[in-house]
Amino acid sequence: MITIKLCLFASLSEALNIREELIPLPAGSTLSHLKNHLIAHDAKWQALNDERILCAINHEMVGQHDLALNNNDEVAFFPPVTGG
């Protein structure tokens, strides 16, 4: 069993009413497993399937969903950010 720190930012955090949370997962879980686990727990997590949602693991942007997660990883989801 591993535990990851889930962080949500901006409008995603507001919509799901969560800023951060510790999530236990089976060893060998991937980013896809994390999303499926959350969606199975509550349909509100479907928001993570929006292709515009960005993800970082331990402050590094990732694009692959088959990346293995490790104990104490920080996984952050956030909407695209625009600036001026």
Side-chain angles (χ1 to χ4, degrees):
M1 194 64 124
I2 64 170
T3 300
I4 61 105
K5 180 180 177 183
L6 176 68
C7 300
L8 303 176
F9 294 97
S11 59
L12 188 58
S13 174
E14 293 170 11
L16 296 173
N17 199 29
I18 294 172
R19 174 81 173 137
E20 59 183 54
E21 189 170 318
L22 294 177
I23 308 286
L25 293 170
S29 290
T30 64
L31 192 53
S32 290
H33 291 132
L34 170 62
K35 286 183 175 185
N36 292 336
H37 169 79
L38 293 169
I39 292 167
H41 178 68
D42 190 328
K44 71 181 181 182
W45 291 101
Q46 285 286 358
L48 295 180
N49 280 332
D50 184 330
E51 63 187 39
R52 296 171 294 172
I53 297 298
L54 303 172
C55 181
I57 298 176
N58 299 324
H59 306 275
E60 298 270 337
M61 294 294 295
V62 297
Q64 298 175 320
H65 296 285
D66 60 349
L67 292 172
L69 298 173
N70 298 301
N71 195 42
N72 298 318
D73 276 352
E74 180 182 279
V75 179
F77 291 105
F78 47 96
V81 178
T82 60

